[in-house]
Amino acid sequence: MTDIHPTAIVEDGAVIGENVRIGPYSIVGPNVRLAEGVVLEAHVVIAGHTSIGPGTHIFPFASIGHKPQDLKFAGEVTELVIGANNQIREHVTMNPGTEGGGGLTRVGDNCLFMMGSHVGHDCRVGNQAILANNATLAGHVELDDFVILGGLSAVRQWSRIGTGAIVGGMTGVEFDVIPYGSVIGDRARLAGLNLVGLKRKGVPREQIHALRAAYRALFETDEGTLRSRAEAVAAEQDGQSLVTEVTDFILEKADRRFCTPRSED
């Protein structure tokens, strides 16, 4: 059964699913939808046109769905959609979209947002992402599945981070990060592949070897441009899905800047 603490405020219009628990002094706005099994601990505030998927657990002092931190925002109706089975820890902030960014911020399923992390307006966060303490996403950032952001890292607006990539703690990401890449540094540089993450996922050895060979062809040579090297690797790969993910990621928006070992491409 739904359990709403007497001190909580659930405004008229909010849609509350079955088996939802809302803790002391939490506030749920009139345009909020909480799916089955959502848990709000004490002092959680959910505002705006926000939908939260089943089984998501939100911890004290999180602020979810308040207006974007964008001076161009003029009060238009925009959304924040959060998927299922996420853990959103203390002091996390997430903002809805803006008209200029499509009006939607979307978070996938089974993610962990540690204390003080931030998801800015118009971001797209995939499934099973992890944002460590105080990791921050500026507006319009795209995070694919299985991305890990270290503590105190920051991702600049409009950046893309590919599937399975890892960002080191206290790293500032200015450019796109390839799938399965590992970036570190005050201003992020590519330091190799996220081999630990690949092994934890049980990726077969032969696929990892193929990905390492592709990485060397892409980033350990000065011949041609990154685009031309990606085209060559794509033409030569033999049904290796991870290699295809990387080359597709680069070639999809080859006019953009990418994190590289020397940041020269």
Side-chain angles (χ1 to χ4, degrees):
M1 295 179 62
T2 297
D3 179 10
I4 302 175
H5 193 274
T7 61
I9 297 174
V10 179
E11 298 190 43
D12 291 343
V15 177
I16 309 299
E18 296 182 358
N19 300 313
V20 168
R21 178 161 61 87
I22 301 176
Y25 303 103
S26 288
I27 300 174
V28 179
N31 298 304
V32 171
R33 302 176 66 90
L34 304 181
E36 180 180 3
V38 168
V39 175
L40 309 183
E41 299 289 356
H43 298 280
V44 173
V45 181
I46 314 292
H49 289 75
T50 298
S51 299
I52 299 176
T56 289
H57 191 162
I58 305 181
F59 287 76
F61 304 106
S63 175
I64 308 298
H66 282 91
K67 71 178 186 178
Q69 299 176 96
D70 183 341
L71 294 176
K72 299 185 298 297
F73 184 74
E76 59 269 24
V77 175
T78 59
E79 294 182 89
L80 168 63
V81 177
I82 300 171
N85 300 313
N86 294 290
Q87 292 191 57
I88 300 174
R89 297 304 305 248
E90 296 82 357
H91 298 281
V92 169
T93 54
M94 296 184 181
N95 296 151
T98 64
E99 184 176 19
L104 174 65
T105 301
R106 182 180 294 277
V107 172
D109 303 331
N110 300 298
C111 298
L112 170 59
F113 298 89
M114 296 187 194
M115 184 274 297
S117 55
H118 171 70
V119 177
H121 59 84
D122 304 295
C123 286
R124 304 288 190 275
V125 178
N127 302 317
Q128 294 184 251
I130 298 175
L131 276 66
N133 294 345
N134 295 298
T136 58
L137 305 181
H140 312 280
V141 169
E142 297 180 21
L143 254 59
D144 291 341
D145 297 344
F146 305 108
V147 169
I148 298 175
L149 300 187
L152 297 166
S153 60
V155 184
R156 191 178 72 170
Q157 62 266 30
W158 300 103
S159 298
R160 299 182 303 151
I161 300 184
T163 300
I166 185 168
V167 175
M170 296 185 288
T171 294
V173 179
E174 296 181 296
F175 308 123
D176 293 358
V177 179
I178 61 167
Y180 312 107
S182 173
V183 296
I184 59 172
D186 177 49
R187 288 296 180 266
R189 61 176 178 83
L190 196 57
L193 295 169
N194 183 14
L195 296 175
V196 172
L198 291 166
K199 292 173 181 177
R200 284 176 177 170
K201 288 178 62 179
V203 174
R205 185 186 300 268
E206 60 272 16
Q207 291 189 35
I208 294 177
H209 287 334
L211 189 59
R212 294 181 76 171
Y215 180 90
R216 288 193 292 270
L218 288 166
F219 298 109
E220 295 182 4
T221 177
D222 295 325
E223 296 180 5
T225 64
L226 179 59
R227 177 171 188 158
S228 65
R229 298 196 296 268
E231 289 171 342
V233 170
E236 294 171 1
Q237 67 87 20
D238 184 21
Q240 294 291 338
S241 60
L242 299 187
V243 174
T244 298
E245 281 190 66
V246 174
T247 56
D248 284 354
F249 185 87
I250 294 170
L251 295 173
E252 179 186 4
K253 296 184 178 180
D255 57 335
R256 294 170 61 87
R257 295 285 302 273
F258 290 81
C259 289
T260 71
R262 298 170 301 278
S263 297
E264 63 184 22
D265 285 296

